[in-house]
Amino acid sequence: MKEIEHLRNIKPDEAYMLRSKRSILREEPLPHFTLRDIIGSHMVGIASTAFVVLGMIVVGGWVFQAKAPITAGADPALLTAEANEVDIQIKLLALTYKSDSFSPLVIKKVLENASSSPLLDRATSSAATEPETTPPASPSEGSSATSTAASSTILSADEILDNLSK
Amino acid sequence: MIENEQKLIEEAVEGGREAFGALYDFYHTRIYRYVFVKVSRKEEAEDLTHQVFLSAWQSIRRYKHQGYPFSGWLYEIARNKVIDFYRSHKTELSIDLVGEHLTDEGSAVTALAGMMERDAVIAAVRNLKPLYQDVILLRFVDDLSLKETAKIVGKSEGAIKVIQHRAIQDLKNTLRTEEA
């Protein structure tokens, strides 16, 4: 360890020491900001930002409420009753098909299905007094006959679509 | 430890230049010695030591007493500066000029003999691993305690004991080889 103790004789140059010291002390120590300092120095900014954000939340909530649907305060039972009272009737006065869209076989089947539906029964019973229509002589005539039969029958749109899909 | 060190530190933390100047005067030589052995060149040792104290002064407001002497904080800065220095330079520095920067008293012959001996010691120390160098310098040149040394190099006191033992063995072996 004696050898190591020789290292204690290492010393810096005095002039350098003085120069370095002066140079260092000419500098200003850097400011040290703690969280408390940052919050303290920006208190006004933080408070005003918080106030603005709070205001935006309040105004936004108010606008949202103002734009609420008109049925928000209505009685659902009353609305249902009103809706049920509305009389909606759909009457098909004319229904035509393109002659080449359906084969006579399909048209015949549609008519058979239609004749078995209660609505058609009702309609046909009312038209029972009318003279019988002559059966179609040819496929091309069938289409016109179909349109004639359909036009004299009151069917709901759903029923017609059902029949067509069958 | 310098007299009234705690008071000086408190004043320096508040921006007291005179207080920091007193701390500088007291610790500068130690830090310079530590850096000098590490880099072995006067100019670089001066520059690095200057940087150590400049960093210390600039960040003095962040200093918090944690039960260790102020020198521990300075050594930590110095150690990091030396590591940064070697990272950026990555050159093997010669120790040819070591002798001319060592002070000695007595006759020229005695001084020369002393310088040569110190040169050999410095060369031997510099042959050690960086961690071993730190422990040898802090423990035996700057007389820091095991606890202080452990804090500076980031190891436990037990680890420092082991490292110190191995470092001494390595140093002895190196010096013996050089003598032979």
Side-chain angles (χ1 to χ4, degrees):
Chain A
M1 289 303 100
K2 277 184 182 177
E3 289 87 351
I4 294 173
E5 284 175 6
H6 284 301
L7 299 178
R8 290 181 181 174
N9 291 330
I10 298 171
K11 287 178 184 171
D13 182 50
E14 293 283 333
Y16 145 74
M17 262 187 81
L18 199 63
R19 214 172 40 246
S20 169
K21 186 180 170 183
R22 281 181 187 163
S23 165
I24 288 166
L25 294 179
R26 266 201 298 271
E27 301 283 330
E28 284 292 326
L30 299 174
H32 175 50
F33 293 116
T34 60
L35 188 61
R36 184 182 291 177
D37 294 335
I38 293 165
I39 291 172
S41 60
H42 297 89
M43 186 56 90
V44 175
I46 292 168
S48 55
T49 307
F51 183 75
V52 168
V53 169
L54 191 68
M56 285 171 72
I57 291 168
V58 169
V59 171
W62 180 77
V63 168
F64 181 76
Q65 273 202 332
K67 285 187 175 177
I70 52 169
T71 55
D75 182 12
L78 190 67
L79 288 173
T80 309
E82 279 182 12
N84 287 335
E85 279 177 15
V86 175
D87 185 23
I88 300 171
Q89 287 189 353
I90 298 171
K91 187 182 280 184
L92 295 176
L93 295 175
L95 191 64
T96 58
Y97 302 101
K98 284 187 176 178
S99 60
D100 54 349
S101 300
F102 299 99
S103 67
L105 205 65
V106 173
I107 293 165
K108 190 179 176 186
K109 200 170 182 182
V110 168
L111 285 171
E112 282 171 5
N113 287 335
S115 65
S116 63
S117 73
L119 268 173
L120 189 63
D121 288 346
R122 229 188 306 145
T124 48
S125 63
S126 64
T129 52
E130 291 178 12
E132 284 185 20
T133 54
T134 53
S138 67
S140 61
E141 284 174 10
S143 63
S144 63
T146 309
S147 63
T148 313
S151 64
S152 64
T153 307
I154 298 171
L155 294 173
S156 70
D158 287 342
E159 281 176 328
I160 291 164
L161 292 171
D162 281 346
N163 287 333
L164 287 174
S165 65
K166 285 172 187 171
Chain B
M1 188 187 283
I2 189 173
E3 202 178 334
N4 293 328
E5 184 177 277
Q6 197 52 44
K7 196 184 171 196
L8 286 171
I9 292 166
E10 284 169 11
E11 286 176 18
V13 168
E14 294 298 319
R17 290 170 200 276
E18 279 187 28
F20 188 81
L23 292 166
Y24 176 96
D25 290 339
F26 188 76
Y27 288 113
H28 185 273
T29 303
R30 293 180 181 199
I31 298 299
Y32 175 83
R33 191 161 52 210
Y34 172 85
V35 174
F36 182 83
V37 174
K38 289 283 198 171
V39 298
S40 297
R41 281 195 181 178
K42 183 188 171 188
E43 291 76 16
E44 276 146 358
E46 287 179 351
D47 185 44
L48 283 174
T49 310
H50 176 78
Q51 286 180 36
V52 169
F53 280 93
L54 183 61
S55 296
W57 172 237
Q58 286 182 331
S59 52
I60 189 74
R61 291 186 197 275
R62 278 185 284 163
Y63 176 78
K64 279 183 184 173
H65 183 64
Q66 294 176 326
Y68 300 100
F70 185 69
S71 62
W73 186 57
L74 293 175
Y75 277 115
E76 274 190 64
I77 299 172
R79 191 165 180 263
N80 290 330
K81 292 284 178 195
V82 170
I83 290 168
D84 290 346
F85 172 79
Y86 278 112
R87 271 190 196 142
S88 59
H89 286 71
K90 287 186 177 175
T91 52
E92 189 61 34
L93 299 170
S94 75
I95 57 165
D96 295 345
L97 302 173
V98 167
E100 66 181 78
H101 308 303
L102 300 174
T103 61
D104 206 345
E105 291 172 359
S107 68
V109 176
T110 311
L112 186 62
M115 286 172 192
M116 287 174 71
E117 198 172 354
R118 282 186 291 261
D119 285 0
V121 175
I122 289 174
V125 170
R126 293 200 70 239
N127 271 338
L128 299 173
K129 294 176 186 174
L131 183 60
Y132 288 10
Q133 290 177 25
D134 286 345
V135 172
I136 289 288
L137 290 172
L138 296 173
R139 291 282 292 131
F140 302 113
V141 180
D142 293 324
D143 289 329
L144 295 188
S145 66
L146 277 173
K147 195 177 178 182
E148 290 162 1
T149 308
K151 168 75 172 55
I152 292 165
V153 300
K155 301 275 181 189
S156 67
E157 286 182 50
I160 294 298
K161 280 181 188 172
V162 175
I163 291 165
Q164 178 184 305
H165 177 73
R166 289 177 183 167
I168 291 168
Q169 291 304 316
D170 284 2
L171 194 61
K172 278 180 183 173
N173 291 338
T174 310
L175 288 170
R176 272 180 206 147
T177 310
E178 282 179 3
E179 279 174 13

